[in-house]
């Protein structure tokens, strides 16, 4: 008889060894365990300090001594650090290591590159971890065993980044029991082809433990940015983190709690080299406003009062160069909390429940702006919830049922003051704000970013059930997973307009600055229609795994996984495609019912071999191979499927209802000084003279694999 007891909670599980003396205690919570072995005619053997980590098998070899059962032998020797039972590559970082290692920003993802094969791109920033040369969005994140992926862009939900910071939502470090990075994982893991990052959340114990902390930094001791020269002021820095955690028993040996929160307040200045028109005469009408005005006046070309007013949005530049180094601070405010309940109902049933919530508000420069009024504002809300039930009816079977959801809502706003307040009438009334005005050689005025862009309020649901069955020297594991994925996206960026002054419009050889002062754009783009899409899809997977202990020294990991990622649908059928015979087609017509043909043969075999040549657990020789599938982000499919089936095609209606796109216009000086886009109500058209580019999804799309 083997009794496995969590040293922190005193929760036990009793097992019986098989005929060869082997035992497996599956689906244990991470922690430190005591293994007690009883057999008639032998002394009781007690192994202390057996460490169970996230996603890694812990091996405890017990040797019994002849003697009375009333006698005991206590073993305190640490378990071998070498994994001799699996070919999975990677490793675990514990809570102690996470807190002791230097970690900028208290973002655990910045420690991932300490594992073999993982690097962080030069320069850092959000979503920069790469596994063996793959893209960052190929990384599969799991929290307490459930998928933690935002399927709009493929990023993680907890600790997701924003365009102005590396982690908008923050999982408190003190809440992480440990995290494990796996490559060549067993068949229970899928979704994406990069590394698997499995985060385990701490549970309470029979003792009350807590922590409190505060970190702060300002720019007093910071070095100057190389491009930030005296007499320019040194960019300001203010970084503040504070939080606390506590865990303990509600009912001793039965019911436990853990909770943590962390708040962050950051302000970090930017230093960009920007093109700014000079406000003094330098003898060059291509860079100097007074020189450009003089050149136009000499040619009897009127100067646009609209342009003169807009030029006041640029900062004054009285230097000898059209390049200035300056920027505006990025500010981040985030509040994060997590709670977990563990209930050991009895020896055969355990429940776990976890809830995480984060609120974030950021404002800053995702691109260099000439004025802080154009800064992007990013409110974000994150919810993650998991529940699991572990049932062990006997020594041979363990069943674990897990269900959860995650929801990430991120929108982006920028300058909503009507363009008419700046003296420019674009004709756009549906969205406020100045359009993007591009003057070649200088930084733009305005911004095209509108709200909402990003995920909507619908959550992603994920559920799975796994059964572990021990028979002889085989540990079988079978499982099934099902997820419902929702992504609300906005894939149109020019609803306010995008106007370009490129030169040669006011007169032959005129500069872009002269064109702007004359009010003669080269061309413009205007977004028409509704670009919002509500995509839905299902993901199904099943797997079988056999960890076969061939001998005491040799273990084989044999697995097979099957995955089905259904072609996404749009709630209003606002997705289209292309047919060589029917032209532009829309889902629901012409026999076109799916964005692409389903991939129904995505089998994923896994193989691993682990050999302990000495039998002492100090050396392992491992090899393995696998084929793992990758799945597209829905944001990509939403953009590719937004084909303008509602446009006029050479005067003939396209036959669909999708009428969002970016239309090219050529405003005149008269339009610029009156209404830039006077014909917004016209039906967009594609003609031989004014062709439309389309992007569509290959109907025979095959998912990539590694």
């Amino acid at each position: 008889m083997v009794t496995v007891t969590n040293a922190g909670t005193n929760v036990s599980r009793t097992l019986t060894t098989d005929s060869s003396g082997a035992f497996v205690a599956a689906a244990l919570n991470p922690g430190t365990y005591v293994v007690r072995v009883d057999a008639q005619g032998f002394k009781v053997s007690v192994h202390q300090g057996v460490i169970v980590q996230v996603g890694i098998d812990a091996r405890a070899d017990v040797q019994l001594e002849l003697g009375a059962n009333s006698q005991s032998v206590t073993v305190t020797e640490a378990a071998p650090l070498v994994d001799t039972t699996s070919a999975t590559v990677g490793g675990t970082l514990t809570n102690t290591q996470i807190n002791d290692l230097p970690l900028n920003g208290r973002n655990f993802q910045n420690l991932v590159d300490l594992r073999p094969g993982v690097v962080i791109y030069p320069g850092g920033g959000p979503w920069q971890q790469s596994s063996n040369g793959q893209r960052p969005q190929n990384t599969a994140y799991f929290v307490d065993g459930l998928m933690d992926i935002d399927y709009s862009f493929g990023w993680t939900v907890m600790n997701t980044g924003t365009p102005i910071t590396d982690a908008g939502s923050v999982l408190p470090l003190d809440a992480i029991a440990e995290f494990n990075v796996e490559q060549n994982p067993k068949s229970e893991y899928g979704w994406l082809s990069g590394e698997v990052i499995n985060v385990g959340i701490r549970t309470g114990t029979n003792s009350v433990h807590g922590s409190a902390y505060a970190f702060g930094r300002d720019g007093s001791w910071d070095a100057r940015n190389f491009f930030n020269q005296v007499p320019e002021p040194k960019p300001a820095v203010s970084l503040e983190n504070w939080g606390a955690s506590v865990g303990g028993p509600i009912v001793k040996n039965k019911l436990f709690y853990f909770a943590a929160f962390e708040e962050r307040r950051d302000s970090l200045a930017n230093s960009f080299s920007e093109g700014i028109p000079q406000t003094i005469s330098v003898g060059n009408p291509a860079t100097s406003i007074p020189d450009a005005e003089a050149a136009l006046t000499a040619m009897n070309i009127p100067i646009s009062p609209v342009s003169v007013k807009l030029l006041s949005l640029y900062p004054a530049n009285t230097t000898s160069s059209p390049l200035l180094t300056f920027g505006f601070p990025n500010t981040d405010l985030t509040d994060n909390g997590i709670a977990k309940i563990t209930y050991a109902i009895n020896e055969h049933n355990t429940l776990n429940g976890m809830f995480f919530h984060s609120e974030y508000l950021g404002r800053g420069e995702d691109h260099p702006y000439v004025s802080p009024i154009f800064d992007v504002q990013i409110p974000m809300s994150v919810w993650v919830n998991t529940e699991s039930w572990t049932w062990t009816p006997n020594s041979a079977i363990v069943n674990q049922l897990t269900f959860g959801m995650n929801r990430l809502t991120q929108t982006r706003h920028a300058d909503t003051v009507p363009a008419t307040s700046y003296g420019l009438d674009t004709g756009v009334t549906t969205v406020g704000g100045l359009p993007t005005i591009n003057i070649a050689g200088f930084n733009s005025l305005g911004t095209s970013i509108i709200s909402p862009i990003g995920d909507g309020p619908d959550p992603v649901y994920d559920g799975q059930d796994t059964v572990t069955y021990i028979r002889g020297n085989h540990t079988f594991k079978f499982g099934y997973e099902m997820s419902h994925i929702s992504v609300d996206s906005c894939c149109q960026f020019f609803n306010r307009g995008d106007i370009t002054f490129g030169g040669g419009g006011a007169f032959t050889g005129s500069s872009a600055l002269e064109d702007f002062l004359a009010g003669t754009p080269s061309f413009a783009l205007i977004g028409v229609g509704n670009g919002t899409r509500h995509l839905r899809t299902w993901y199904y997977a099943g797997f079988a795994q056999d960890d076969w202990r061939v001998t005491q020294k040799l273990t084989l990991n044999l697995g097979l996984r099957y995955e089905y990622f259904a072609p996404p649908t749009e709630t209003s059928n606002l997705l289209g495609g292309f047919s060589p015979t029917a032209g532009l087609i829309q889902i629901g017509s012409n026999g076109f019912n799916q964005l692409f043909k389903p991939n129904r043969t995505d089998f994923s075999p896994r193989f691993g071999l682990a050999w302990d040549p000495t039998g002492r657990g100090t050396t392992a020789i491992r090899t393995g191979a696998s084929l793992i599938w990758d799945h597209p982000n829905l944001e990509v499919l939403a953009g590719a499927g937004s084909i303008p089936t509602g446009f006029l095609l050479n005067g003939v209606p396209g036959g669909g209802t999708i009428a969002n796109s970016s239309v090219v216009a050529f405003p005149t000086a008269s339009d610029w000084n009156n209404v830039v886009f006077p014909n917004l109500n016209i039906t967009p058209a594609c003609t031989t003279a004014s062709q439309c580019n389309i992007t569509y999804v290959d109907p025979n799309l095959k998912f990539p694999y590694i």
Side-chain angles (χ1 to χ4, degrees), residues 132-218:
N132 296 316
Q134 297 190 58
R135 293 178 297 174
Q137 55 265 47
N138 288 29
T139 301
Y141 283 87
F142 296 83
V143 176
D144 272 0
L146 269 194
M147 183 271 292
D148 184 52
I149 303 170
D150 160 36
Y151 238 88
S152 176
F153 293 101
W155 319 123
T156 174
V157 176
M158 288 184 180
N159 285 62
T160 190
T162 77
I164 60 174
T165 189
D166 67 339
S169 62
V170 177
L171 175 61
L173 291 184
D174 287 29
I176 301 175
E178 57 195 27
F179 73 87
N180 174 256
V181 178
E182 298 183 36
Q183 296 168 52
N184 193 44
K186 297 180 182 179
S187 58
E188 63 185 291
Y189 294 111
W191 286 92
L192 298 167
S193 59
E195 72 265 26
V196 172
I197 298 178
N198 209 332
V199 181
I201 304 301
R202 290 175 64 183
T203 61
T205 65
N206 279 325
S207 301
V208 176
H209 291 280
S211 65
Y213 52 88
F215 301 93
R217 170 187 160 193
D218 63 26

Side-chain angles (χ1 to χ4, degrees), residues 341-518:
I341 295 291
T342 301
Y343 182 25
I345 302 172
N346 51 44
E347 190 179 73
H348 300 290
N349 296 275
T350 302
L351 299 177
N352 284 283
M354 184 273 292
F355 176 77
F356 171 83
H357 178 56
S358 174
E359 291 290 337
Y360 168 84
L361 179 62
R363 175 169 182 159
E365 296 185 84
D366 62 339
H367 295 84
Y369 298 134
V370 301
S371 172
I373 62 176
F374 304 130
D375 282 357
V376 63
Q377 301 172 52
I378 307 173
M380 183 173 70
S381 181
V382 172
W383 304 79
V384 179
N385 168 244
T386 65
E387 290 83 27
S388 67
W389 169 36
T390 303
W391 176 45
T392 55
N394 53 52
S395 297
I397 297 175
V398 177
N399 188 90
Q400 189 168 44
L401 177 65
T402 309
F403 176 80
M405 56 79 69
N406 65 60
R407 186 182 75 185
L408 187 155
T409 302
Q410 181 182 133
T411 56
R412 305 179 199 177
H413 306 265
D415 180 29
T416 56
V417 177
T420 52
S421 300
Y422 302 104
L424 179 67
D425 187 352
T426 60
V428 177
T429 58
T430 54
V431 291
L434 199 66
T436 299
I437 302 173
N438 308 294
I439 308 172
F442 303 104
N443 279 68
S444 303
L445 297 172
T447 175
S448 296
I449 295 177
I450 63 171
S451 172
I453 297 174
D455 296 338
D458 291 328
V460 173
Y461 295 101
D462 186 28
Q464 58 183 353
D465 187 64
T466 60
V467 177
T468 304
Y469 174 53
I470 297 101
R471 183 175 178 84
N473 55 354
H474 293 270
T475 300
F476 298 104
K477 195 169 187 178
F478 309 95
Y480 178 77
E481 184 173 11
M482 180 172 64
S483 296
H484 182 255
I485 302 170
S486 302
V487 168
D488 294 344
S489 68
C490 180
C491 46
Q492 194 156 311
F493 290 86
F494 301 113
N495 291 52
R496 296 172 170 179
D498 189 288
I499 307 165
T500 296
F501 296 85
F507 57 88
T508 301
S510 60
S511 67
L513 182 58
E514 290 170 307
D515 281 4
F516 178 68
L517 282 167

Side-chain angles (χ1 to χ4, degrees), residues 1 3 34-39 42-48 61-65 69 71-75:
M1 185 174 68
T3 304
V34 177
V35 178
R36 175 189 170 104
V37 182
D38 292 84
F42 294 89
K43 297 177 183 179
V44 174
S45 180
V46 179
H47 277 234
Q48 297 179 341
D61 290 329
V62 180
Q63 194 168 26
L64 300 182
E65 296 181 11
N69 196 245
Q71 297 177 294
S72 65
V73 177
T74 301
V75 180

